[in-house]
């Protein structure tokens, strides 16, 4: 059985690599922007919907499994996408400053083009009150990589300094619910 990570996220690849698990990473074959427009459900279910679409977009042998994952940042009933520019990143951080937002993670495993496992996680993230100078310093330290992060932060890096309280699973916040995911992969291997 081969494990395929249906993601081009460096954070997800690193998380999985650090477990010692052997896997292949493949970019999902979906147009995420188009899928977001097609989605008509509840905003809190968007991450799971996208995770499923990503996993099912990768064709593989019948014994292999595909991991699909996505995250959605929800604040004031608005979904935040990855910032398209440093200016947009600054704007997002100003809007999230001194407030609590939800980071919703959806993770799935598919086999034979069917979803066989789903995991949902909601983290409540409360930022410090950030000054313009703090935001500018943070963005300067973080560099362009921050444009690959929803909410303009990576909790495993400088982003940790932005928060006064986090209520949720650290691994899910970074990109994958590792504890639950590894338990499930172990069960799948044992059931062969």
């Amino acid at each position: 059985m081969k494990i395929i990570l249906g993601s081009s996220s460096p954070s997800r690849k690193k998380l999985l690599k650090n477990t010692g698990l052997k896997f292949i990473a493949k970019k999902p074959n979906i147009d995420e922007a188009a899928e977001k427009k097609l989605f008509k459900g509840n905003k809190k279910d968007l991450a799971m919907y996208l995770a499923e679409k990503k996993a099912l977009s990768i064709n593989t042998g019948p014994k292999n499994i595909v991991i699909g994952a996505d995250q959605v940042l929800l604040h004031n009933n608005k979904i935040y996408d990855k910032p398209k520019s440093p200016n947009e990143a600054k704007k997002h951080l100003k809007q999230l400053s001194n407030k609590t937002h939800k980071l919703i993670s959806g993770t799935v495993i598919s086999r034979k083009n069917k979803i066989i496992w789903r995991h949902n996680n909601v983290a409540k993230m409360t930022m410090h009150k950030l000054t313009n100078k703090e935001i500018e310093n943070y963005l300067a330290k973080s560099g362009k990589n921050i444009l690959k992060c929803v909410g303009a932060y990576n909790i495993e890096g400088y982003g940790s300094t932005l928060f006064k309280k986090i209520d949720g699973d650290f691994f899910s916040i970074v990109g994958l619910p590792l504890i639950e995911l590894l338990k499930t992969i172990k069960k799948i291997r044992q059931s062969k």
Side-chain angles (χ1 to χ4, degrees), residues 74-140:
L74 195 58
H75 177 60
N76 285 343
N77 206 31
K78 176 187 169 193
I79 289 175
Y80 283 66
D81 288 318
K82 292 171 188 166
K84 290 172 183 62
S85 67
N87 270 350
E88 192 174 21
K90 191 177 186 178
K91 186 176 150 192
H92 287 187
L93 291 169
K94 279 183 179 183
Q95 290 168 348
L96 300 172
S97 170
N98 205 32
K99 296 192 176 77
T100 300
H101 64 268
K102 289 179 181 170
L103 188 64
I104 303 165
S105 304
T107 309
V108 301
I109 294 176
S110 71
R111 180 183 244 169
K112 295 184 202 166
N113 228 23
K114 285 190 177 73
I115 303 297
I116 60 168
W117 178 79
R118 288 175 177 82
H119 186 273
N120 195 43
N121 186 276
V122 179
K124 290 180 184 163
M125 318 277 290
T126 307
M127 280 194 181
H128 290 291
K129 186 168 174 55
L130 304 169
T131 65
N132 283 340
K133 188 161 180 60
E134 286 170 326
I135 291 171
E136 281 167 24
N137 288 342
Y138 165 73
L139 291 173

Side-chain angles (χ1 to χ4, degrees), residues 50-67:
L50 291 171
E52 289 178 9
K53 290 286 184 185
K54 287 177 179 181
L56 296 173
S57 77
I58 295 171
N59 290 322
T60 184
K63 291 181 180 174
N64 301 335
I65 61 169
V66 180
I67 301 165

Side-chain angles (χ1 to χ4, degrees), residues 37 60 71 80 92 95 117 127 144-145 172 177 180 187:
K37 284 179 186 159
T60 184
Q71 291 177 309
Y80 283 66
H92 287 187
Q95 290 168 348
W117 178 79
M127 280 194 181
K144 292 238 184 218
N145 277 343
S172 291
E180 296 301 320
K187 276 185 200 163

